[in-house]
Amino acid sequence: MNRIRSLALLGAATLTAGGLTVLATGTAQAADVNVARNGGFESGLAGWSCSAGSGAAVSSPVHTGAGALKATPAGSDNARCGQSVTVKPNSTYTLSAQVQGSYVYLGATGTGTQDVSTWTPGSGSGWQKLSTTFSTGPNTTQVTVYTHGWYGQPAYTVDEFSVFGPDGGGGTDPGPSVPGAPGGAAVSGQSANGLALSWNAVGGAGGYHVYQDGVRVQTVSSASAQITGLAPATSYAFQVSAYNAAGEGPRSAPVTGTTTGGGGDPNPNPSVPRHALTGYWQNFDNGATVQKLSDVSAQYDIIAVSFADATTTPGAITFNLDSAGLGGYTVAQFKADIAAKKAAGKSVILSIGGEKGTISVNDPASANNLANSAYALMQEYGFSGIDIDLENGLNPTYMTQALRSLSSKAGSSLVITMAPQTIDMQSTQGGYFKTALNIKDILTVVNMQYYNSGSMNGCDGKVYSQGSVDFLTALACIQLEGGLDPSQVGIGVPASPSGAGSGYVSPTVVGNALDCLARGTGCGSFKPSKTYPGLRGAMTWSTNWDAKAGHAWSNAVGPKVHALP
């Protein structure tokens, strides 16, 4: 549980002339160049060397142009491909590439200073940009740059590989020029919550950024975009810019579009029941049973689709259905299944984060981006809300801002859940706990993960080890006595031993913990001073692991939850 550097001199203005950056002081310095060769793989693997014959030039998928590198790890080989580039001593270079796949690495060795690497734990769907910088030593003229995958993982793809910095004299790829401003921007396809935006394609563009009222809201590869999540009967101003490896070009002239008058949601969000069972549904195949949403047991009241993907816009999210990994499950089927679940009284929400989540909301702009993009996805797919499962922590100030903004757009039927780790809910001063209390009036439930955890303090000050009824009840007590309503507290556990590294407990133990908290029966050595009959219920990772184990978890815990007082 998903990218040309400027030169400056203090107190000196700069002018750009051809390939030189001319300083007002009269000095000049050569502009950065791409010292990598064949970085777009338009000439096959010329200039590149791949381990064990693992790499090949392919024509699809590509990010731009007609070629890309595809390399496949096998056995103890991580499919490393690299080349030696000529550099200048005592200089700084920016290494970047567009990558696609799980665990794709990018790095440099032999720098003469500190070798560097970066990697993406991507889901394998969609292109992501990796970037890092390195500095060369006083005697360094050659540096090896490389990319590789990871053992046991599928093939990965790389395009637009570049190493920008001072020309070392070893020959370079000709750098592209910054694209011009798109023309012909027009709005069409108005609806109550969306607008269609189109423009003329720009030669040499790798993609386009779409700006709504001055804020970047989308990045697309073609000359059109569907803008969703808008308010009815409201005017919006849009601009578009083109970008490529050389950078982002100027924005287009503004164009205005107005949404139509509103109407009711044809498929409104159902109410979450007093006692609810939550399950995470996997948008990937990791050995658990592959499911369509229609396959998820009817015991689950809230289904958290895992996971949203980060974008190049800070805070903004998107969603990419892994149709191939899910046996040909189409987007149309997925949307229809969400509608059917909602018609059956279930809430289908989009989970943000997870173990490999890289989404950060640390300022007003990223908070606004999260709210806008999340609402757009709710409108596009029919999600009833979102789940916050950020395992690298969160900023309570700006996450609160994002969630309140989303609530103002979506209305009172919005479902917001959280899945913090145990350490996140030990104190009301923690970021997760603060956020939960900040949005208590719009928060649905916090399903803390009582697994993959060490020993933790209970509300009585004693230390409890995971895997016991006391661990569940004494830690839930912290939330219950720390300001959350009982209806906002749920117990999160794995559906089977395969669902987590540690912390699995049998459904019987989960049932005992629910009884202990709601009724005062079935407790272990810890017994709370009062009962919490309004306790929301339980959560599991995942519906897929539950199915793998014959639905043993949901068949036992579901009825228990639904029978709570």
Side-chain angles (χ1 to χ4, degrees):
M1 277 218 309
N2 107 127
R3 272 152 162 122
I4 303 238
R5 300 176 343 144
S6 62
L7 300 168
L9 199 65
L10 184 63
T14 63
L15 298 171
T16 299
L20 297 178
T21 297
V22 184
L23 304 177
T25 56
T27 61
Q29 183 173 339
D32 288 349
V33 298
N34 181 11
V35 300
R37 299 175 305 284
N38 190 29
F41 304 95
E42 305 300 310
S43 301
L45 294 185
W48 290 87
S49 176
C50 296
S51 60
S54 57
V58 296
S59 59
S60 179
V62 299
H63 190 264
T64 58
L69 166 69
K70 184 175 184 178
T72 307
S76 60
D77 177 60
N78 62 9
R80 174 168 166 151
C81 296
Q83 64 171 269
S84 179
V85 297
T86 303
V87 296
K88 290 186 69 173
N90 295 321
S91 300
T92 300
Y93 291 82
T94 298
L95 169 64
S96 64
Q98 292 286 348
V99 303
Q100 189 177 92
S102 302
Y103 300 98
V104 187
Y105 286 72
L106 191 68
T109 62
T111 62
T113 56
Q114 182 175 352
D115 293 348
V116 299
S117 68
T118 186
W119 62 285
T120 175
S123 64
S125 59
W127 291 95
Q128 300 181 64
K129 187 167 186 176
L130 280 179
S131 183
T132 187
T133 61
F134 64 86
S135 297
T136 56
N139 300 309
T140 304
T141 58
Q142 295 286 321
V143 170
T144 298
V145 291
Y146 64 86
T147 182
H148 66 74
W150 197 246
Y151 311 102
Q153 296 297 314
Y156 68 93
T157 312
V158 176
D159 202 355
E160 296 183 36
F161 193 101
S162 64
V163 186
F164 273 97
D167 189 352
T172 68
D173 275 355
S177 59
V178 174
V187 172
S188 62
Q190 290 91 338
S191 68
N193 301 111
L195 296 167
L197 184 64
S198 62
W199 55 92
N200 298 332
V202 177
Y208 303 91
H209 297 313
V210 179
Y211 293 84
Q212 175 184 315
D213 295 330
V215 177
R216 187 189 296 181
V217 293
Q218 282 193 41
T219 296
V220 296
S221 58
S222 60
S224 64
Q226 187 68 38
I227 314 299
T228 58
L230 305 178
T234 304
S235 293
Y236 297 89
F238 300 96
Q239 289 177 286
V240 183
S241 68
Y243 71 89
N244 58 20
E248 180 180 3
R251 300 182 191 180
S252 67
V255 61
T256 301
T258 303
T259 53
T260 62
D265 182 354
N267 194 7
N269 296 332
S271 299
V272 176
R274 172 178 168 85
H275 301 298
L277 196 71
T278 301
Y280 285 79
W281 174 85
Q282 298 177 188
N283 180 38
F284 51 86
D285 180 4
N286 66 345
T289 298
V290 172
Q291 292 183 310
K292 296 179 174 64
L293 282 179
S294 55
D295 299 326
V296 174
S297 168
Q299 292 288 349
Y300 293 101
D301 304 291
I302 303 175
I303 304 169
V305 171
S306 310
F307 291 99
D309 296 312
T311 72
T312 57
T313 302
I317 58 171
T318 188
F319 177 73
N320 298 290
L321 184 69
D322 186 9
S323 297
L326 302 180
Y329 194 20
T330 68
V331 172
Q333 290 174 318
F334 178 71
K335 291 180 178 179
D337 285 348
I338 291 177
K341 285 293 184 181
K342 290 173 70 173
K346 312 299 182 181
S347 299
V348 182
I349 61 177
L350 180 59
S351 183
I352 302 171
E355 177 189 357
K356 302 174 183 177
T358 57
I359 297 164
S360 297
V361 180
N362 294 317
D363 54 39
S366 56
N368 186 56
N369 291 337
L370 175 57
N372 286 340
S373 58
Y375 186 59
L377 291 170
M378 289 176 61
Q379 295 293 296
E380 180 178 359
Y381 288 93
F383 296 122
S384 295
I386 62 172
D387 167 69
I388 305 301
D389 185 15
L390 298 175
E391 299 189 0
N392 57 339
L394 54 76
N395 183 307
T397 299
Y398 298 112
M399 184 55 72
T400 297
Q401 177 184 323
L403 296 175
R404 289 208 170 276
S405 176
L406 178 59
S407 176
S408 69
K409 298 173 186 291
S412 59
S413 66
L414 175 68
V415 176
I416 301 177
T417 71
M418 292 182 169
Q421 300 172 97
T422 53
I423 191 67
D424 295 321
M425 302 299 285
Q426 284 279 283
S427 166
T428 56
Q429 297 307 303
Y432 248 108
F433 216 139
K434 280 186 177 180
T435 303
L437 294 175
N438 286 348
I439 62 164
K440 185 176 176 180
D441 56 316
I442 58 173
L443 174 65
T444 305
V445 62
V446 175
N447 290 304
M448 190 173 74
Q449 303 175 47
Y450 294 78
Y451 52 94
N452 294 339
S453 166
S455 298
M456 290 287 161
N457 291 325
C459 66
D460 57 356
K462 295 180 180 179
V463 177
Y464 294 93
S465 299
Q466 66 178 1
S468 66
V469 66
D470 288 332
F471 188 75
L472 304 183
T473 55
L475 269 67
C477 176
I478 297 176
Q479 300 170 61
L480 291 162
E481 294 300 312
L484 292 181
D485 189 85
S487 67
Q488 296 171 322
V489 177
I491 296 174
V493 295
S496 75
S498 300
S502 63
Y504 171 76
V505 292
S506 71
T508 299
V509 172
V510 179
N512 288 339
L514 293 170
D515 279 339
C516 179
L517 294 169
R519 296 186 172 96
T521 62
C523 302
S525 62
F526 171 80
K527 186 172 183 177
S529 59
K530 61 181 179 181
T531 59
Y532 308 92
L535 191 77
R536 180 66 80 174
M539 171 274 282
T540 196
W541 178 268
S542 61
T543 65
N544 307 74
W545 286 115
D546 182 28
K548 182 83 169 182
H551 303 283
W553 191 88
S554 58
N555 285 341
V557 180
K560 190 75 177 180
V561 165
H562 298 139
L564 289 172

